[in-house]
Amino acid sequence: MASSKAARVGEEVWKTRIDKVNAELVTLTYGTIVAQLCGDYDSNYDEVNKQLDRMGYNIGMRLVEDFFAKSGTQRCANFRETAETISKIGFKIFLNITPVVTNWTTDSKQFSLLFEENPLADFVELPDDGKAQDELWYSNILCGILRGALEMVQMQVEAHFVSDVLRGEETTEMRITLLRYIEDELPPDDE
C-alpha cells in the first residue's frame, strides 16, 4: 500500500469509523497505571518497563483484530509497507497521531518511528528521584502493543525506545527490528 494511500485510509477511518474517547481521560488513566507500577515495584524502572511492555503485548494481540475490522486493509507485502501501515493507519486510528517512518537499515529489517507528539505523555513529568530520567521509558506500552500486534500477523519484532522528550531529549524515537517471519507451525503429531 502506497504511503499516501495509507495516510488517506488512516484519516478516513479516524473520521468515520472510530468511537472517540476523551484524550485527557486516556492520558490520565495511563498516567495512573504507570504511577501505580512505579509504586508497586518501588521505583525499579527496569521492572516497570517490562510490565508496561507485557501489558502492551497483550493489548496488541487483541487490538490487531479491531485494526483489520476498522481499516479494511489486507496483509502487507513487505516490512516497509508494514511500517507505513503502522504509522499512517494504526497510530492514526487508535491515537490520532502519525509518527514519521525513518532511519531504515539497508536490509530493510529495521526502522524508526519519530513521534512529533505523544498523547500518552501529555501533562507528564517523570519522578524526580535521580533514576527515572535515565531508566523509565514512560510510553513503553506502545512497544509491547507493536510486538503483540505484529506477532499476530506472523512477524516477530523487537521494539524499544531510543529517546524520549520526557527524558529531556530532542525527539521521541522508537526503533523496530524485524527478527523473523513466523511460519505456520503444526503440532508435532500432525502431518
Side-chain angles (χ1 to χ4, degrees):
M1 178 180 297
S3 179
S4 60
K5 182 180 179 191
R8 283 193 310 274
V9 169
E11 190 65 35
E12 179 65 25
V13 171
W14 172 255
K15 287 180 181 176
T16 61
R17 294 187 227 158
I18 299 296
D19 294 329
K20 310 298 187 291
V21 175
N22 184 305
E24 291 174 358
L25 176 64
V26 172
T27 300
L28 294 173
T29 302
Y30 182 71
T32 302
I33 292 169
V34 175
Q36 183 67 47
L37 287 172
C38 290
D40 290 350
Y41 291 99
D42 297 322
S43 299
N44 178 345
Y45 298 119
D46 287 336
E47 190 58 36
V48 172
N49 293 335
K50 288 176 190 171
Q51 293 300 319
L52 290 171
D53 183 79
R54 187 174 298 133
M55 290 168 62
Y57 178 82
N58 290 325
I59 292 168
M61 291 181 73
R62 289 160 183 78
L63 204 62
V64 74
E65 292 177 26
D66 197 34
F67 168 80
F68 283 121
K70 289 179 176 162
S71 70
T73 59
Q74 301 297 316
R75 182 177 294 267
C76 296
N78 55 49
F79 198 50
R80 281 187 176 267
E81 188 176 317
T82 300
E84 292 297 327
T85 301
I86 290 167
S87 169
K88 293 180 175 55
I89 302 175
F91 275 100
K92 184 67 178 181
I93 289 173
F94 296 109
L95 291 175
N96 194 27
I97 61 172
T98 307
V100 176
V101 178
T102 188
N103 298 332
W104 279 99
T105 55
T106 55
D107 63 0
S108 295
K109 291 186 175 186
Q110 191 175 78
F111 67 93
S112 290
L113 290 174
L114 295 180
F115 295 83
E116 294 176 10
E117 57 184 317
N118 178 357
L120 295 181
D122 288 345
F123 318 116
V124 173
E125 290 182 22
L126 295 180
D128 189 18
D129 62 2
K131 292 177 18 181
Q133 292 282 342
D134 297 326
E135 297 175 14
L136 179 63
W137 293 106
Y138 184 81
S139 300
N140 213 44
I141 197 166
L142 297 176
C143 296
I145 289 171
L146 287 181
R147 281 189 328 101
L150 290 174
E151 188 170 302
M152 295 306 291
V153 294
Q154 278 71 42
M155 288 183 221
Q156 183 180 14
V157 301
E158 195 273 331
H160 65 277
F161 281 98
V162 294
S163 64
D164 191 340
V165 294
L166 290 176
R167 291 175 156 206
E169 297 161 331
E170 290 187 26
T171 61
T172 298
E173 178 180 352
M174 182 192 299
R175 195 83 180 135
I176 296 93
T177 304
L178 175 64
L179 301 175
R180 70 183 181 104
Y181 289 99
I182 301 169
E183 301 294 325
D184 290 330
E185 298 173 0
L186 295 175
D189 296 328
D190 291 353
E191 293 184 23

